[in-house]
Amino acid sequence: MIYDFTYENPTRIHFGKSAMSYLAEELKAYGKNVLLVYGKNSIKATGLYDQIMNILHECGKTVFELPGINSNPRYAQVMEGAHMVRENGIDFILAVGGGSVIDCTKGISVSSYYEGDAWQYYWVENGPIVNKTIPFAAVLTMAGTGSEMNATSVITNEEKKLKIGRTFPLWEMSPKFSIMNPELTYTVPIRQMVSGIYDIFSHLMEQYFSGDDDCTTDYLTEGVMLSLINAARKALINPEDYEARSNIMWCATMGLNRILGLSKTQDWEVHKIEHQVGAYTDCPHGIGLAIISPAYYRYIYKYGLPKFIRFAKSVWHVEEKGRSEDEIALEGISRLETFIKELGITQTLRDIGATEEMLPLIAQSTAPGGGYKKMNAEDIMVVLRKSF
Amino acid sequence: MIYDFTYENPTRIHFGKSAMSYLAEELKAYGKNVLLVYGKNSIKATGLYDQIMNILHECGKTVFELPGINSNPRYAQVMEGAHMVRENGIDFILAVGGGSVIDCTKGISVSSYYEGDAWQYYWVENGPIVNKTIPFAAVLTMAGTGSEMNATSVITNEEKKLKIGRTFPLWEMSPKFSIMNPELTYTVPIRQMVSGIYDIFSHLMEQYFSGDDDCTTDYLTEGVMLSLINAARKALINPEDYEARSNIMWCATMGLNRILGLSKTQDWEVHKIEHQVGAYTDCPHGIGLAIISPAYYRYIYKYGLPKFIRFAKSVWHVEEKGRSEDEIALEGISRLETFIKELGITQTLRDIGATEEMLPLIAQSTAPGGGYKKMNAEDIMVVLRKSF
């Protein structure tokens, strides 16, 4: 822990089968007009919509609805929500869904009373919060982004072909509370479940693969990696294995509630590349990450060799015997690739709709960054071609 | 994560060499009359006292002082502090020291305006908070208890020969902020450093050795155990190794900020036994824990064999080959015992002042509990005799 940090986290987590029983009590602290934000029709099919509407009505709330949030939430949807907040004097926003719905909700909260161009000011320029924000909370139905316990919001601007993640000040832009019942994730299609699992694993690696100091945080991260691999394998066999789904859900939250980034330099280049792949192809986030990762890590591992060796040994139990250092590190990346296949993710960038012509556009529009190696557009092109 | 839980944590952590620079800004939120609580003379010898007094005076605070808090803080000292709060209209308490000073401060905060017998009501009966509490914060000078990011207070009632730990509601009885500069721990005598290190390790085991479900929390705990063992060995060689001391400090905080207890049944019997050993002998807490642990774990391991095998393999890298399950588990406990000796802790209960006559009194007064095995006074006597 050699780098200084300040840590706090304002979100209250209610986790488990009884989590929803806390909703009514929590709602008492907030005003009458509630905006319910959710995705497509799945929460209606499962009965969750009715359950939550009943609780809201029993609490005397007037409910307004913004359905149809995309899996890559769009700035136009943020603007639509912001308009609804102003028109209806919304006091509180309840996000019901996965990370996309929560991210969109954060966008609505901060944009509703901002006079200027919220996209430019908040997501592009990282401007400070200058306006009234609307308190919000989440009922989580999908494990992945960790948005339920942080202040990050990833929004896609379709017009500008940009997908940008912004981390806001914690106290304004974290959920006041999050209701996390792992059973609610049972009905998520397997394809989305594995996309979420890989998103979690990628968050862990983005924070882990940087720095050469001995840091307690890295040991914690290895623990979460081991737990996630184990739970993912069980959930693939039986998606209604409560123990496995609950571990996956908590790995997601721990994966991005800032604890696994404390005192760390970090990488995040796989996410930055994927964000632009997503802006061009609208692919599921976790699938995009999984496609890019093996090529990216093979491209950079030499620059952080000791950490990649540690990853191979601690996380994938690669035996040192008879292997050179490079072989140990590369075997770790191969095991990661095997895990991606176990998850059923076998596509290339081409398979998810990227074209040859898009590659330089993606590379050029990706924010430069990186951990062990600083990446420029040329470097990114190599990774994209290998993933194509 | 099969057991439901609610998690939140209100404490803001400022960690690192620059941590003290946040004190003045933080103090602005609180009133003029500050009670400074600290231990013996060490903070005066190191210059820390002058540094903090200067900041307090620059912030326009009127400072009252309660020095001399014992390493096992006494209820009489809590009462003395409570009296000072009432007499002087204290608005804020600043604890400067280790866990004992912070625990005493929590006691003062909750007891100052309680009309009845605070000891009986809060520590014995676990009564709810019914009175005005005083906000407080910590400047940490020793790593161990984790009191800097939780709402637990362990107080010794000398008259009644009882040492009792109480966990209060989080928002009232957690530090508002904690200033954690690992450099401040350099001047702690080695004997106290190792006592703190073992206290941390014991917190990890108390939470870990219970339950037979697959739980993400246990993987996180193993990560902290591995980091702590590694950092402890480095700090023993060079107590001014910043990296090592900073990892130890963060292991302590993570070890008891509730994250490593989430969704867990827990044990805590070693602590309960040690509390009564401490009530009779006033031994340093971590030393008492280290003396009791090997005998305790050898006494109970058969009741939680799979977890003790996992502990041996994951934490101590015990090879399975050629060993029976019992032998693997026992080898793990032997490695723990070796680690205790590495820390320089070689005493028995007799060496720290316990007498033959005390043992049944300690056993009888220990709160019953336990994880894999429910312990009664007879069981505890066996452990005490083995540790004598």
Side-chain angles (χ1 to χ4, degrees), chain A residues 15 140 142-146 148 180 182 185 192-201 204 224 227-239 241-255 339 343, chain B residues 1 214-216:
Chain A
F15 191 99
L140 195 66
M142 196 182 146
T145 71
E148 64 276 9
M180 299 173 62
T185 67
Q192 279 183 41
M193 177 184 90
V194 300
S195 174
I197 290 169
Y198 195 78
D199 190 21
I200 305 167
F201 206 82
L204 301 174
V224 180
S227 179
L228 181 62
I229 294 164
N230 193 24
R233 287 172 174 160
K234 288 178 183 168
L236 284 167
I237 295 167
N238 175 16
D241 179 332
Y242 181 82
E243 190 179 77
R245 296 306 285 267
S246 68
N247 283 334
I248 292 169
M249 199 175 217
W250 192 238
C251 285
T253 306
M254 284 302 299
F339 179 61
L343 293 174
Chain B
M1 314 297 287
D214 180 49
C215 183
T216 298

Side-chain angles (χ1 to χ4, degrees), chain A residues 85-362:
Chain A
V85 168
R86 285 191 305 273
E87 289 295 297
N88 303 293
I90 295 295
D91 302 303
F92 186 74
I93 313 177
L94 187 61
V96 181
S100 303
V101 174
I102 307 173
D103 283 13
C104 184
T105 295
K106 290 171 182 171
I108 295 168
S109 170
V110 78
S111 303
S112 294
Y113 291 95
Y114 182 69
E115 302 283 327
D117 178 359
W119 171 260
Q120 182 66 25
Y121 183 71
Y122 287 123
W123 280 270
V124 179
E125 292 168 13
N126 271 310
I129 295 178
V130 291
N131 54 306
K132 180 181 158 192
T133 62
I134 313 296
F136 62 92
V139 176
L140 195 66
T141 63
M142 196 182 146
T145 71
S147 191
E148 64 276 9
M149 202 183 182
N150 67 36
T152 300
S153 166
V154 182
I155 301 295
T156 297
N157 190 316
E158 280 194 301
E159 217 177 280
K160 297 191 159 62
K161 291 266 181 225
L162 284 171
K163 180 174 169 183
I164 298 184
R166 162 72 199 270
T167 296
F168 288 97
L170 281 169
W171 284 87
E172 285 94 342
M173 220 39 65
S174 292
K176 298 299 176 197
F177 59 89
S178 286
I179 306 273
M180 299 173 62
N181 179 353
E183 291 173 321
L184 297 181
T185 67
Y186 288 173
T187 52
V188 167
I190 292 297
R191 182 80 177 154
Q192 279 183 41
M193 177 184 90
V194 300
S195 174
I197 290 169
Y198 195 78
D199 190 21
I200 305 167
F201 206 82
S202 181
H203 292 162
L204 301 174
M205 292 191 293
E206 299 277 26
Q207 294 169 95
Y208 180 79
F209 281 123
S210 185
D212 54 11
D213 55 314
D214 181 50
C215 183
T216 298
T217 298
D218 286 330
Y219 296 82
L220 285 162
T221 304
E222 288 165 345
V224 180
M225 287 175 173
L226 289 165
S227 179
L228 181 62
I229 294 164
N230 193 24
R233 287 172 174 160
K234 288 178 183 168
L236 284 167
I237 295 167
N238 175 16
E240 300 204 4
D241 179 332
Y242 181 82
E243 190 179 77
R245 296 306 285 267
S246 68
N247 283 334
I248 292 169
M249 199 175 217
W250 192 238
C251 285
T253 306
M254 284 302 299
L256 212 50
N257 64 7
R258 290 185 58 233
I259 284 180
L260 301 188
L262 292 178
S263 197
K264 289 280 304 170
T265 59
Q266 302 179 27
D267 184 334
W268 293 104
E269 190 65 17
V270 173
H271 266 69
K272 284 176 180 164
I273 299 172
E274 192 289 325
H275 281 180
Q276 283 317 98
V277 170
Y280 277 85
T281 66
D282 200 29
C283 70
H285 178 53
I287 307 294
L289 296 169
I291 291 170
I292 299 157
S293 293
Y296 177 74
Y297 290 120
R298 287 196 179 100
Y299 189 70
I300 67 148
Y301 84 92
K302 274 181 186 289
Y303 302 90
L305 188 59
K307 194 59 151 295
F308 279 90
I309 292 171
R310 177 174 164 173
F311 175 67
K313 289 160 64 181
S314 300
V315 179
W316 301 106
H317 309 298
V318 173
E319 299 264 357
E320 274 180 270
K321 226 171 131 182
R323 288 191 171 97
S324 71
E325 290 196 326
D326 278 70
E327 285 167 347
I328 297 168
L330 287 168
E331 178 62 21
I333 300 171
S334 291
R335 302 265 178 110
L336 168 67
E337 199 170 27
T338 303
F339 179 61
I340 291 169
K341 287 184 186 140
E342 275 183 71
L343 293 174
I345 307 172
T346 55
Q347 298 111 306
T348 64
L349 285 180
R350 193 191 305 256
D351 298 329
I352 56 165
T355 63
E356 188 89 42
E357 294 69 38
M358 282 180 192
L359 301 189
L361 299 171
I362 292 168

Side-chain angles (χ1 to χ4, degrees), chain B residues 52-329:
Chain B
I52 289 173
M53 282 301 255
N54 283 341
I55 295 170
L56 286 164
H57 288 142
E58 276 167 22
C59 294
K61 306 292 183 185
T62 305
V63 185
F64 301 83
E65 299 184 46
L66 179 62
I69 304 305
N70 284 76
S71 65
N72 285 314
R74 295 168 190 171
Y75 183 58
Q77 295 178 311
V78 170
M79 286 296 96
E80 190 185 342
H83 179 77
M84 288 182 75
V85 167
R86 287 191 304 274
E87 289 294 297
N88 303 292
I90 295 297
D91 302 302
F92 187 74
I93 313 177
L94 187 62
V96 181
S100 304
V101 174
I102 306 173
D103 283 12
C104 185
T105 295
K106 290 171 181 171
I108 295 168
S109 169
V110 78
S111 303
S112 294
Y113 291 95
Y114 182 70
E115 302 282 328
D117 178 358
W119 170 261
Q120 183 65 25
Y121 183 70
Y122 287 123
W123 280 270
V124 179
E125 293 167 13
N126 271 310
I129 294 178
V130 292
N131 55 304
K132 179 181 158 192
T133 62
I134 313 297
F136 62 93
V139 175
L140 195 66
T141 62
M142 194 181 146
T145 71
S147 192
E148 63 276 9
M149 201 182 182
N150 66 37
T152 299
S153 166
V154 182
I155 300 295
T156 297
N157 191 315
E158 280 194 300
E159 218 177 279
K160 297 190 159 62
K161 289 267 179 225
L162 285 171
K163 180 174 169 182
I164 298 183
R166 161 73 200 270
T167 295
F168 289 98
L170 281 169
W171 284 88
E172 285 95 341
M173 219 40 63
S174 291
K176 298 300 177 195
F177 59 89
S178 285
I179 306 272
M180 298 174 62
N181 179 353
E183 292 174 321
L184 295 181
T185 68
Y186 289 172
T187 53
V188 167
I190 292 297
R191 183 78 178 155
Q192 280 184 39
M193 177 184 90
V194 299
S195 174
I197 290 170
Y198 195 79
D199 190 20
I200 305 167
F201 206 83
S202 180
H203 292 161
L204 301 174
M205 292 191 293
E206 299 277 27
Q207 295 169 95
Y208 179 79
F209 283 123
S210 186
D212 54 10
D213 56 314
D214 180 49
C215 183
T216 298
T217 299
D218 285 330
Y219 296 81
L220 284 162
T221 304
E222 288 165 346
V224 180
M225 286 174 172
L226 289 166
S227 178
L228 181 62
I229 294 164
N230 193 23
R233 286 172 175 160
K234 288 178 183 167
L236 284 168
I237 295 166
N238 175 17
E240 300 203 3
D241 179 334
Y242 181 82
E243 190 179 77
R245 295 305 285 267
S246 67
N247 284 333
I248 292 168
M249 201 176 216
W250 192 239
C251 285
T253 306
M254 284 301 299
L256 212 49
N257 64 6
R258 289 184 58 232
I259 284 179
L260 301 188
L262 292 178
S263 197
K264 290 279 304 169
T265 58
Q266 303 179 26
D267 184 334
W268 292 103
E269 190 65 16
V270 173
H271 266 69
K272 285 176 180 163
I273 299 172
E274 192 290 326
H275 282 179
Q276 283 317 98
V277 170
Y280 277 84
T281 67
D282 200 28
C283 71
H285 178 53
I287 306 295
L289 296 169
I291 292 170
I292 299 158
S293 293
Y296 177 74
Y297 290 121
R298 288 198 178 99
Y299 189 70
I300 66 149
Y301 85 93
K302 274 182 186 288
Y303 302 91
L305 188 59
K307 194 59 151 294
F308 279 89
I309 291 171
R310 176 174 164 173
F311 175 68
K313 288 160 63 180
S314 301
V315 179
W316 302 106
H317 310 299
V318 173
E319 300 264 356
E320 275 182 89
K321 225 169 132 181
R323 287 191 172 98
S324 70
E325 291 197 327
D326 278 71
E327 284 167 347
I328 297 168

